[in-house]
Amino acid sequence: MNFFDLPSAVRPFRFHPRTLGLLALVVGFLTACSTDVDVNAPWKEQTIVTCLVDPNQAVHYIRIHKAYLDPNRNALVVAAIRDSLYHDPSRTKVWIEIWKNGVLRDSLACTPMDSVLNGGGGIFPDTLRLYRFSSPLVGGLPRLDSSAEHRLRILTPAGQSLSASLFPIGRNNSLPGGLPPGGNLPPNFGGLNWSANQGHQVAFTLPANTSRYNFSIRAYYDEWCADSVPPGPPPHPDTPGLRLRSIEWPITTNGLNPGLGLITRVFGKNLFSLLNASLAKEPRTHRRLRGTLFHFYWLDEPFGTYLEVTNSSPSMSDVKPTFTNVTNGLGLFAGRREWPDPIMDAQNPGYPFSSRFYRQALGGIGTDSLRLKYPDLNFQP
């Protein structure tokens, strides 16, 4: 599951398109799923909070907005009024308290900022108001302490007090950059032989405070027109029409924390079957498997519960389930973590090949069964 590329600390005022898409998606769920709010109550404010804290990032963003309807005006008209969506930032106080062993260790200010939505906001104002806070510096580097409770506190102009808390997802010391103890990825000595019948073992332990996880493998391959390059060695990077493409191979989706660790085995025959089912069979299109990127996505308990509840499929007679972990309000204050880091790692010009999570595919015998079983895909040695 590949979502939520939160903004980089290097460019805090620019947002990745998927970030804004995520905020809209999560906020949509939170507002649409609730059945406990009387939306026709005259100007009764309900505050909705959306925040996903990723320790990979140095700067974190919170969306805080209001939800209610004026019974005397059309909802579309009210939605276009900025004051009907956001609390006055000059009279709204937002901060993060860091508690450890029952002691308040630090307090982080959350400052308001506006970001312009590309293409405008439709019936809504074309700006998105967020609050941001920065991770404390530890040894000169931004760090969130996974053993400390991070409490979100909000005081609105109307005197409404909201709160929520989380323990950030910890660092995973079982993955590349700190393999032992606990796990490893397949070795990359000369490349992985995906035609091997025994498959490849992946062992890992989950970071602290992880409740659910997603594990997938992204297969990268070159694709080019056979008319643009003679047969033989791999095409030169400047080959006309040469494209680097990828396909996502989900291994575990929304998996429960297995406890001490997890060992699983991935088989090339399953990857090859996915390629056959997904790629077009075009006689003049040739391909070559470059390698695979091992991708992990960790979720804390509130985020995992939220996804489980909102993705449920009740019958028509059932009430749509709802979930919130915000006291005296609605919304989600939760943690996530992704490896490899989709923002920082991708800034490397050599990505994905430079990533610690990338494994080169062994050519020749390493993809023999792919070429033999699915010749119409035109994969080359």
Side-chain angles (χ1 to χ4, degrees):
M1 177 175 57
N2 236 351
F3 12 59
F4 317 129
D5 286 351
L6 293 180
S8 168
V10 178
R11 292 174 292 180
F13 289 96
R14 298 185 61 187
F15 291 84
H16 194 288
R18 285 161 55 190
T19 302
L20 299 180
L22 163 70
L23 288 171
L25 177 64
V26 174
V27 169
F29 270 130
L30 293 172
T31 54
C33 295
S34 176
T35 58
D36 299 326
V37 181
D38 182 6
V39 296
N40 291 316
W43 294 101
K44 179 181 178 181
E45 292 186 359
Q46 291 289 344
T47 300
I48 299 177
V49 179
T50 310
C51 180
L52 298 175
V53 176
D54 185 344
N56 287 343
Q57 309 305 318
V59 181
H60 313 276
Y61 298 85
I62 310 168
R63 171 141 191 222
I64 303 170
H65 71 283
K66 299 183 288 186
Y68 55 77
L69 291 179
D70 180 356
N72 300 316
R73 283 190 287 181
N74 185 289
L76 300 182
V77 174
V78 175
I81 303 173
R82 184 175 184 80
D83 288 345
S84 73
L85 295 179
Y86 300 113
H87 296 292
D88 181 354
S90 66
R91 299 190 298 124
T92 303
K93 186 177 181 182
V94 183
W95 71 101
I96 302 289
E97 296 176 348
I98 301 179
W99 291 77
K100 192 168 184 177
N101 300 323
V103 178
L104 177 61
R105 300 297 181 91
D106 200 357
S107 183
L108 309 177
C110 300
T111 57
M113 60 169 288
D114 288 348
S115 177
V116 178
L117 294 172
N118 293 330
I123 64 171
F124 302 103
D126 60 0
T127 55
L128 181 69
R129 174 162 295 159
L130 303 172
Y131 289 80
R132 60 179 178 175
F133 68 94
S134 299
S135 298
L137 295 179
V138 179
L141 297 175
R143 288 284 185 267
L144 290 180
D145 186 351
S146 61
S147 65
E149 181 184 12
H150 290 61
R151 300 179 184 176
L152 171 64
R153 300 292 306 275
I154 302 171
L155 187 61
T156 71
Q160 183 185 24
S161 177
L162 298 88
S163 63
S165 70
L166 62 78
F167 287 83
I169 293 179
R171 299 184 62 83
N172 190 324
N173 62 2
S174 71
L175 292 176
L179 288 178
N184 62 356
L185 298 181
N188 200 27
F189 306 122
L192 294 185
N193 178 3
W194 281 106
S195 288
N197 290 329
Q198 70 270 19
H200 299 284
Q201 178 177 291
V202 180
F204 57 88
T205 56
L206 274 66
N209 306 320
T210 297
S211 174
R212 296 174 183 264
Y213 70 96
N214 290 275
F215 167 37
S216 64
I217 296 177
R218 189 172 302 152
Y220 286 87
Y221 60 95
D222 284 325
E223 186 176 87
W224 70 94
C225 178
D227 298 327
S228 65
V229 62
H236 190 274
D238 294 331
T239 298
L242 179 67
R243 295 181 177 89
L244 178 65
R245 300 190 182 277
S246 66
I247 185 171
E248 199 78 13
W249 176 19
I251 307 299
T252 304
T253 301
N254 208 20
L256 290 171
N257 188 330
L260 296 179
L262 179 69
I263 298 178
T264 188
R265 191 168 289 274
V266 292
F267 294 89
K269 62 182 180 181
N270 296 332
L271 171 61
F272 299 161
S273 177
L274 175 66
L275 291 169
N276 179 62
S278 306
L279 303 185
K281 282 78 171 176
E282 300 172 349
R284 304 307 298 166
T285 297
H286 285 196
R287 302 176 175 98
R288 179 171 286 108
L289 188 62
R290 294 289 299 274
T292 45
L293 186 74
F294 291 76
H295 179 250
F296 300 87
Y297 195 94
W298 320 112
L299 312 176
D300 69 0
E301 191 277 331
F303 197 4
T305 302
Y306 164 77
L307 291 177
E308 181 180 25
V309 168
T310 56
N311 289 333
S312 63
S313 300
S315 68
M316 294 182 64
S317 61
D318 291 336
V319 176
K320 179 67 177 178
T322 181
F323 173 80
T324 179
N325 67 338
V326 178
T327 301
N328 204 26
L330 298 171
L332 182 69
F333 182 60
R336 62 178 286 274
R337 194 162 198 156
E338 189 173 359
W339 289 112
D341 186 328
I343 295 179
M344 298 306 296
D345 284 21
Q347 290 179 354
N348 190 314
Y351 185 85
F353 312 116
S354 60
S355 173
R356 299 170 296 162
F357 299 84
Y358 178 81
R359 295 294 182 265
Q360 176 185 338
L362 182 64
I365 61 171
T367 53
D368 273 350
S369 59
L370 169 61
R371 297 189 303 278
L372 292 174
K373 190 170 183 179
Y374 305 110
D376 291 346
L377 293 178
N378 293 323
F379 271 86
Q380 306 301 308

Short mmCIF file of all heavy atoms in Angstrom, two decimals, residues 184-236:
data_model
loop_
_atom_site.label_atom_id
_atom_site.label_comp_id
_atom_site.label_asym_id
_atom_site.label_seq_id
_atom_site.Cartn_x
_atom_site.Cartn_y
_atom_site.Cartn_z
N ASN A 184 16.65 -10.08 7.83
CA ASN A 184 17.43 -9.63 6.70
C ASN A 184 16.62 -9.74 5.43
O ASN A 184 15.55 -10.32 5.39
CB ASN A 184 18.73 -10.45 6.58
CG ASN A 184 18.45 -11.93 6.34
OD1 ASN A 184 17.30 -12.37 6.35
ND2 ASN A 184 19.50 -12.69 6.13
N LEU A 185 17.16 -9.12 4.37
CA LEU A 185 16.63 -9.28 3.04
C LEU A 185 17.52 -10.28 2.31
O LEU A 185 18.64 -10.56 2.75
CB LEU A 185 16.64 -7.93 2.31
CG LEU A 185 15.78 -6.82 2.91
CD1 LEU A 185 15.88 -5.58 2.04
CD2 LEU A 185 14.34 -7.26 3.04
N PRO A 186 17.05 -10.82 1.18
CA PRO A 186 17.92 -11.71 0.42
C PRO A 186 19.23 -11.02 0.06
O PRO A 186 19.24 -9.81 -0.23
CB PRO A 186 17.09 -12.02 -0.83
CG PRO A 186 15.68 -11.79 -0.41
CD PRO A 186 15.73 -10.67 0.57
N PRO A 187 20.36 -11.73 0.08
CA PRO A 187 21.64 -11.11 -0.29
C PRO A 187 21.63 -10.67 -1.74
O PRO A 187 20.83 -11.15 -2.55
CB PRO A 187 22.65 -12.21 -0.03
CG PRO A 187 21.86 -13.48 -0.14
CD PRO A 187 20.49 -13.15 0.39
N ASN A 188 22.50 -9.75 -2.07
CA ASN A 188 22.53 -9.18 -3.41
C ASN A 188 23.85 -9.50 -4.11
O ASN A 188 24.33 -8.71 -4.92
CB ASN A 188 22.31 -7.67 -3.34
CG ASN A 188 21.86 -7.09 -4.68
OD1 ASN A 188 21.25 -7.77 -5.48
ND2 ASN A 188 22.16 -5.82 -4.91
N PHE A 189 24.46 -10.63 -3.81
CA PHE A 189 25.75 -10.98 -4.39
C PHE A 189 25.54 -11.41 -5.85
O PHE A 189 25.13 -12.53 -6.14
CB PHE A 189 26.41 -12.11 -3.61
CG PHE A 189 26.54 -11.82 -2.14
CD1 PHE A 189 25.97 -12.66 -1.20
CD2 PHE A 189 27.20 -10.68 -1.69
CE1 PHE A 189 26.08 -12.40 0.15
CE2 PHE A 189 27.30 -10.41 -0.34
CZ PHE A 189 26.74 -11.26 0.58
N GLY A 190 25.81 -10.51 -6.77
CA GLY A 190 25.68 -10.83 -8.18
C GLY A 190 24.24 -10.83 -8.67
O GLY A 190 24.00 -11.04 -9.85
N GLY A 191 23.28 -10.60 -7.80
CA GLY A 191 21.89 -10.54 -8.22
C GLY A 191 21.07 -11.71 -7.70
O GLY A 191 21.61 -12.73 -7.26
N LEU A 192 19.75 -11.56 -7.71
CA LEU A 192 18.84 -12.60 -7.26
C LEU A 192 18.40 -13.46 -8.44
O LEU A 192 18.04 -12.95 -9.50
CB LEU A 192 17.60 -11.99 -6.61
CG LEU A 192 17.79 -11.24 -5.29
CD1 LEU A 192 16.44 -10.81 -4.74
CD2 LEU A 192 18.53 -12.08 -4.29
N ASN A 193 18.42 -14.77 -8.23
CA ASN A 193 17.95 -15.71 -9.23
C ASN A 193 16.46 -15.97 -8.98
O ASN A 193 16.09 -16.78 -8.14
CB ASN A 193 18.74 -17.01 -9.15
CG ASN A 193 18.26 -18.06 -10.13
OD1 ASN A 193 17.35 -17.80 -10.93
ND2 ASN A 193 18.85 -19.24 -10.09
N TRP A 194 15.60 -15.26 -9.72
CA TRP A 194 14.17 -15.39 -9.49
C TRP A 194 13.60 -16.66 -10.08
O TRP A 194 12.43 -17.01 -9.83
CB TRP A 194 13.43 -14.17 -10.03
CG TRP A 194 13.54 -12.99 -9.11
CD1 TRP A 194 14.30 -11.86 -9.29
CD2 TRP A 194 12.89 -12.83 -7.85
NE1 TRP A 194 14.16 -11.02 -8.22
CE2 TRP A 194 13.30 -11.58 -7.31
CE3 TRP A 194 12.02 -13.61 -7.11
CZ2 TRP A 194 12.86 -11.11 -6.08
CZ3 TRP A 194 11.57 -13.15 -5.87
CH2 TRP A 194 11.98 -11.91 -5.38
N SER A 195 14.39 -17.39 -10.87
CA SER A 195 13.92 -18.68 -11.40
C SER A 195 14.17 -19.82 -10.42
O SER A 195 13.75 -20.95 -10.68
CB SER A 195 14.61 -18.98 -12.73
OG SER A 195 14.10 -18.15 -13.75
N ALA A 196 14.87 -19.54 -9.32
CA ALA A 196 15.18 -20.59 -8.35
C ALA A 196 13.90 -21.15 -7.75
O ALA A 196 13.01 -20.40 -7.32
CB ALA A 196 16.08 -20.04 -7.25
N ASN A 197 13.80 -22.47 -7.70
CA ASN A 197 12.57 -23.11 -7.21
C ASN A 197 12.34 -22.86 -5.73
O ASN A 197 11.20 -22.84 -5.26
CB ASN A 197 12.63 -24.62 -7.47
CG ASN A 197 12.52 -24.94 -8.95
OD1 ASN A 197 11.87 -24.21 -9.70
ND2 ASN A 197 13.16 -26.02 -9.39
N GLN A 198 13.42 -22.68 -4.96
CA GLN A 198 13.27 -22.55 -3.51
C GLN A 198 12.85 -21.14 -3.09
O GLN A 198 12.57 -20.92 -1.91
CB GLN A 198 14.56 -22.95 -2.80
CG GLN A 198 15.71 -21.97 -2.98
CD GLN A 198 16.56 -22.29 -4.20
OE1 GLN A 198 16.10 -23.00 -5.09
NE2 GLN A 198 17.78 -21.80 -4.24
N GLY A 199 12.82 -20.19 -4.00
CA GLY A 199 12.43 -18.83 -3.66
C GLY A 199 13.47 -18.13 -2.81
O GLY A 199 14.63 -18.56 -2.72
N HIS A 200 13.09 -17.05 -2.18
CA HIS A 200 14.00 -16.25 -1.37
C HIS A 200 13.35 -15.93 -0.03
O HIS A 200 12.18 -15.55 0.04
CB HIS A 200 14.37 -14.95 -2.08
CG HIS A 200 15.08 -15.18 -3.38
ND1 HIS A 200 16.41 -15.56 -3.44
CD2 HIS A 200 14.64 -15.12 -4.66
CE1 HIS A 200 16.76 -15.70 -4.71
NE2 HIS A 200 15.70 -15.44 -5.47
N GLN A 201 14.12 -16.08 1.03
CA GLN A 201 13.62 -15.84 2.38
C GLN A 201 13.76 -14.37 2.76
O GLN A 201 14.80 -13.76 2.52
CB GLN A 201 14.37 -16.71 3.38
CG GLN A 201 13.94 -16.49 4.83
CD GLN A 201 14.64 -17.42 5.79
OE1 GLN A 201 14.39 -18.61 5.79
NE2 GLN A 201 15.53 -16.86 6.60
N VAL A 202 12.71 -13.84 3.37
CA VAL A 202 12.73 -12.49 3.92
C VAL A 202 12.35 -12.61 5.39
O VAL A 202 11.30 -13.16 5.73
CB VAL A 202 11.73 -11.55 3.20
CG1 VAL A 202 11.79 -10.15 3.80
CG2 VAL A 202 12.02 -11.50 1.71
N ALA A 203 13.21 -12.11 6.27
CA ALA A 203 12.96 -12.17 7.71
C ALA A 203 13.06 -10.75 8.27
O ALA A 203 13.97 -10.00 7.93
CB ALA A 203 13.97 -13.08 8.40
N PHE A 204 12.11 -10.39 9.13
CA PHE A 204 12.18 -9.05 9.72
C PHE A 204 11.39 -9.00 11.01
O PHE A 204 10.50 -9.82 11.25
CB PHE A 204 11.66 -7.99 8.74
CG PHE A 204 10.26 -8.20 8.23
CD1 PHE A 204 9.16 -7.71 8.92
CD2 PHE A 204 10.05 -8.89 7.05
CE1 PHE A 204 7.88 -7.90 8.44
CE2 PHE A 204 8.76 -9.09 6.57
CZ PHE A 204 7.68 -8.60 7.26
N THR A 205 11.76 -8.06 11.85
CA THR A 205 10.98 -7.73 13.04
C THR A 205 10.33 -6.37 12.80
O THR A 205 10.86 -5.54 12.07
CB THR A 205 11.86 -7.66 14.29
OG1 THR A 205 12.92 -6.72 14.07
CG2 THR A 205 12.45 -9.01 14.62
N LEU A 206 9.18 -6.17 13.40
CA LEU A 206 8.47 -4.92 13.19
C LEU A 206 8.97 -3.85 14.14
O LEU A 206 9.34 -4.14 15.28
CB LEU A 206 6.96 -5.12 13.39
CG LEU A 206 6.19 -5.62 12.16
CD1 LEU A 206 6.62 -7.02 11.79
CD2 LEU A 206 4.69 -5.56 12.41
N PRO A 207 9.01 -2.59 13.71
CA PRO A 207 9.43 -1.50 14.58
C PRO A 207 8.50 -1.37 15.79
O PRO A 207 7.35 -1.82 15.76
CB PRO A 207 9.35 -0.26 13.69
CG PRO A 207 9.31 -0.77 12.29
CD PRO A 207 8.66 -2.11 12.36
N ALA A 208 8.99 -0.73 16.83
CA ALA A 208 8.18 -0.49 18.03
C ALA A 208 6.91 0.26 17.67
O ALA A 208 6.91 1.14 16.80
CB ALA A 208 8.98 0.31 19.04
N ASN A 209 5.82 -0.10 18.33
CA ASN A 209 4.51 0.55 18.21
C ASN A 209 3.80 0.25 16.90
O ASN A 209 2.85 0.94 16.52
CB ASN A 209 4.62 2.07 18.41
CG ASN A 209 5.30 2.43 19.71
OD1 ASN A 209 5.07 1.80 20.74
ND2 ASN A 209 6.18 3.44 19.68
N THR A 210 4.26 -0.76 16.17
CA THR A 210 3.60 -1.17 14.94
C THR A 210 2.48 -2.16 15.26
O THR A 210 2.68 -3.12 15.99
CB THR A 210 4.59 -1.83 13.96
OG1 THR A 210 5.57 -0.87 13.57
CG2 THR A 210 3.88 -2.34 12.72
N SER A 211 1.31 -1.90 14.70
CA SER A 211 0.17 -2.79 14.89
C SER A 211 -0.10 -3.62 13.63
O SER A 211 -0.42 -4.80 13.71
CB SER A 211 -1.09 -2.00 15.25
OG SER A 211 -2.22 -2.82 15.30
N ARG A 212 0.03 -2.99 12.48
CA ARG A 212 -0.19 -3.65 11.21
C ARG A 212 0.88 -3.25 10.22
O ARG A 212 1.57 -2.25 10.42
CB ARG A 212 -1.59 -3.32 10.65
CG ARG A 212 -2.74 -3.82 11.54
CD ARG A 212 -4.08 -3.33 11.01
NE ARG A 212 -5.16 -3.76 11.88
CZ ARG A 212 -5.90 -4.84 11.69
NH1 ARG A 212 -5.67 -5.61 10.64
NH2 ARG A 212 -6.87 -5.16 12.53
N TYR A 213 1.01 -4.02 9.16
CA TYR A 213 2.06 -3.71 8.20
C TYR A 213 1.65 -4.16 6.80
O TYR A 213 0.76 -5.00 6.62
CB TYR A 213 3.37 -4.40 8.59
CG TYR A 213 3.35 -5.91 8.43
CD1 TYR A 213 3.85 -6.51 7.28
CD2 TYR A 213 2.79 -6.73 9.41
CE1 TYR A 213 3.81 -7.89 7.13
CE2 TYR A 213 2.75 -8.10 9.26
CZ TYR A 213 3.26 -8.68 8.13
OH TYR A 213 3.20 -10.04 7.97
N ASN A 214 2.30 -3.56 5.82
CA ASN A 214 2.18 -3.97 4.43
C ASN A 214 3.57 -4.27 3.91
O ASN A 214 4.52 -3.52 4.18
CB ASN A 214 1.53 -2.88 3.58
CG ASN A 214 0.07 -2.68 3.91
OD1 ASN A 214 -0.80 -3.37 3.40
ND2 ASN A 214 -0.20 -1.74 4.80
N PHE A 215 3.70 -5.34 3.19
CA PHE A 215 4.97 -5.74 2.60
C PHE A 215 4.73 -6.05 1.12
O PHE A 215 3.84 -6.83 0.78
CB PHE A 215 5.53 -6.97 3.33
CG PHE A 215 6.68 -7.66 2.63
CD1 PHE A 215 7.64 -6.93 1.94
CD2 PHE A 215 6.80 -9.04 2.68
CE1 PHE A 215 8.70 -7.57 1.29
CE2 PHE A 215 7.85 -9.70 2.05
CZ PHE A 215 8.80 -8.95 1.34
N SER A 216 5.49 -5.38 0.27
CA SER A 216 5.35 -5.62 -1.16
C SER A 216 6.72 -5.57 -1.81
O SER A 216 7.71 -5.13 -1.20
CB SER A 216 4.42 -4.58 -1.81
OG SER A 216 4.98 -3.28 -1.71
N ILE A 217 6.79 -6.03 -3.02
CA ILE A 217 8.03 -6.00 -3.81
C ILE A 217 7.71 -5.30 -5.12
O ILE A 217 6.74 -5.66 -5.80
CB ILE A 217 8.56 -7.42 -4.07
CG1 ILE A 217 8.95 -8.09 -2.74
CG2 ILE A 217 9.76 -7.38 -5.02
CD1 ILE A 217 9.41 -9.53 -2.89
N ARG A 218 8.50 -4.30 -5.44
CA ARG A 218 8.30 -3.55 -6.67
C ARG A 218 9.34 -4.03 -7.70
O ARG A 218 10.54 -3.89 -7.49
CB ARG A 218 8.45 -2.06 -6.41
CG ARG A 218 8.06 -1.15 -7.56
CD ARG A 218 8.05 0.30 -7.11
NE ARG A 218 7.12 0.47 -6.00
CZ ARG A 218 7.25 1.40 -5.07
NH1 ARG A 218 8.28 2.23 -5.10
NH2 ARG A 218 6.36 1.52 -4.11
N ALA A 219 8.85 -4.62 -8.77
CA ALA A 219 9.74 -5.15 -9.81
C ALA A 219 9.97 -4.07 -10.87
O ALA A 219 9.02 -3.52 -11.43
CB ALA A 219 9.13 -6.39 -10.44
N TYR A 220 11.24 -3.77 -11.14
CA TYR A 220 11.62 -2.79 -12.16
C TYR A 220 12.11 -3.51 -13.40
O TYR A 220 12.88 -4.48 -13.32
CB TYR A 220 12.70 -1.85 -11.62
CG TYR A 220 12.21 -0.84 -10.62
CD1 TYR A 220 12.14 -1.15 -9.27
CD2 TYR A 220 11.78 0.42 -11.03
CE1 TYR A 220 11.67 -0.23 -8.34
CE2 TYR A 220 11.31 1.35 -10.11
CZ TYR A 220 11.26 1.02 -8.77
OH TYR A 220 10.79 1.93 -7.86
N TYR A 221 11.68 -3.02 -14.56
CA TYR A 221 12.11 -3.61 -15.82
C TYR A 221 12.24 -2.53 -16.89
O TYR A 221 11.55 -1.51 -16.86
CB TYR A 221 11.13 -4.70 -16.28
CG TYR A 221 9.72 -4.22 -16.51
CD1 TYR A 221 9.28 -3.84 -17.78
CD2 TYR A 221 8.80 -4.14 -15.46
CE1 TYR A 221 7.98 -3.40 -18.00
CE2 TYR A 221 7.50 -3.71 -15.66
CZ TYR A 221 7.10 -3.34 -16.93
OH TYR A 221 5.82 -2.88 -17.14
N ASP A 222 13.18 -2.74 -17.81
CA ASP A 222 13.32 -1.87 -18.97
C ASP A 222 12.34 -2.34 -20.04
O ASP A 222 12.08 -3.54 -20.18
CB ASP A 222 14.74 -1.93 -19.54
CG ASP A 222 15.74 -1.14 -18.70
OD1 ASP A 222 15.34 -0.09 -18.16
OD2 ASP A 222 16.90 -1.57 -18.59
N GLU A 223 11.84 -1.39 -20.80
CA GLU A 223 10.93 -1.71 -21.90
C GLU A 223 11.33 -0.86 -23.10
O GLU A 223 11.56 0.35 -22.96
CB GLU A 223 9.49 -1.44 -21.49
CG GLU A 223 8.45 -1.87 -22.50
CD GLU A 223 7.03 -1.67 -21.98
OE1 GLU A 223 6.51 -0.54 -22.15
OE2 GLU A 223 6.48 -2.61 -21.40
N TRP A 224 11.43 -1.47 -24.26
CA TRP A 224 11.83 -0.72 -25.45
C TRP A 224 11.25 -1.39 -26.69
O TRP A 224 10.81 -2.55 -26.65
CB TRP A 224 13.35 -0.62 -25.55
CG TRP A 224 14.05 -1.92 -25.87
CD1 TRP A 224 14.41 -2.37 -27.10
CD2 TRP A 224 14.46 -2.93 -24.94
NE1 TRP A 224 15.03 -3.60 -27.00
CE2 TRP A 224 15.07 -3.96 -25.68
CE3 TRP A 224 14.38 -3.05 -23.56
CZ2 TRP A 224 15.60 -5.10 -25.08
CZ3 TRP A 224 14.90 -4.19 -22.96
CH2 TRP A 224 15.50 -5.19 -23.71
N CYS A 225 11.24 -0.65 -27.79
CA CYS A 225 10.77 -1.16 -29.06
C CYS A 225 11.90 -1.91 -29.73
O CYS A 225 13.04 -1.43 -29.80
CB CYS A 225 10.29 -0.02 -29.96
SG CYS A 225 9.75 -0.57 -31.59
N ALA A 226 11.63 -3.11 -30.22
CA ALA A 226 12.66 -3.94 -30.83
C ALA A 226 13.28 -3.27 -32.04
O ALA A 226 14.41 -3.59 -32.43
CB ALA A 226 12.08 -5.30 -31.22
N ASP A 227 12.57 -2.32 -32.67
CA ASP A 227 13.10 -1.65 -33.85
C ASP A 227 14.19 -0.65 -33.50
O ASP A 227 14.92 -0.18 -34.39
CB ASP A 227 11.97 -0.90 -34.58
CG ASP A 227 10.89 -1.85 -35.07
OD1 ASP A 227 11.25 -2.99 -35.43
OD2 ASP A 227 9.71 -1.46 -35.08
N SER A 228 14.33 -0.30 -32.23
CA SER A 228 15.26 0.78 -31.86
C SER A 228 16.60 0.26 -31.38
O SER A 228 17.50 1.06 -31.10
CB SER A 228 14.62 1.65 -30.75
OG SER A 228 14.45 0.87 -29.57
N VAL A 229 16.77 -1.04 -31.27
CA VAL A 229 18.03 -1.57 -30.76
C VAL A 229 18.25 -2.97 -31.33
O VAL A 229 17.31 -3.76 -31.43
CB VAL A 229 18.02 -1.61 -29.22
CG1 VAL A 229 16.93 -2.52 -28.70
CG2 VAL A 229 19.38 -2.05 -28.67
N PRO A 230 19.46 -3.30 -31.74
CA PRO A 230 19.71 -4.65 -32.24
C PRO A 230 19.68 -5.66 -31.11
O PRO A 230 19.87 -5.31 -29.94
CB PRO A 230 21.11 -4.54 -32.86
CG PRO A 230 21.75 -3.41 -32.12
CD PRO A 230 20.64 -2.44 -31.81
N PRO A 231 19.42 -6.92 -31.41
CA PRO A 231 19.43 -7.95 -30.36
C PRO A 231 20.83 -8.12 -29.80
O PRO A 231 21.82 -7.76 -30.44
CB PRO A 231 18.95 -9.20 -31.10
CG PRO A 231 19.29 -8.95 -32.53
CD PRO A 231 19.13 -7.48 -32.73
N GLY A 232 20.92 -8.66 -28.61
CA GLY A 232 22.23 -8.90 -27.99
C GLY A 232 22.32 -8.31 -26.62
O GLY A 232 21.46 -8.55 -25.77
N PRO A 233 23.37 -7.48 -26.37
CA PRO A 233 23.59 -6.92 -25.02
C PRO A 233 22.44 -6.00 -24.61
O PRO A 233 21.64 -5.58 -25.44
CB PRO A 233 24.90 -6.13 -25.18
CG PRO A 233 25.53 -6.67 -26.42
CD PRO A 233 24.42 -7.08 -27.31
N PRO A 234 22.37 -5.71 -23.30
CA PRO A 234 21.31 -4.78 -22.83
C PRO A 234 21.37 -3.47 -23.58
O PRO A 234 22.46 -2.99 -23.94
CB PRO A 234 21.64 -4.60 -21.35
CG PRO A 234 22.41 -5.84 -20.98
CD PRO A 234 23.19 -6.21 -22.21
N PRO A 235 20.23 -2.88 -23.88
CA PRO A 235 20.21 -1.62 -24.62
C PRO A 235 20.91 -0.51 -23.85
O PRO A 235 20.87 -0.46 -22.64
CB PRO A 235 18.72 -1.33 -24.81
CG PRO A 235 18.05 -2.10 -23.71
CD PRO A 235 18.88 -3.33 -23.50
N HIS A 236 21.54 0.37 -24.58
CA HIS A 236 22.19 1.53 -23.98
C HIS A 236 21.12 2.43 -23.37
O HIS A 236 20.00 2.52 -23.88
CB HIS A 236 22.97 2.29 -25.05
CG HIS A 236 23.86 3.36 -24.50
ND1 HIS A 236 23.40 4.64 -24.25
CD2 HIS A 236 25.16 3.34 -24.13
CE1 HIS A 236 24.39 5.37 -23.76
NE2 HIS A 236 25.47 4.61 -23.67
#
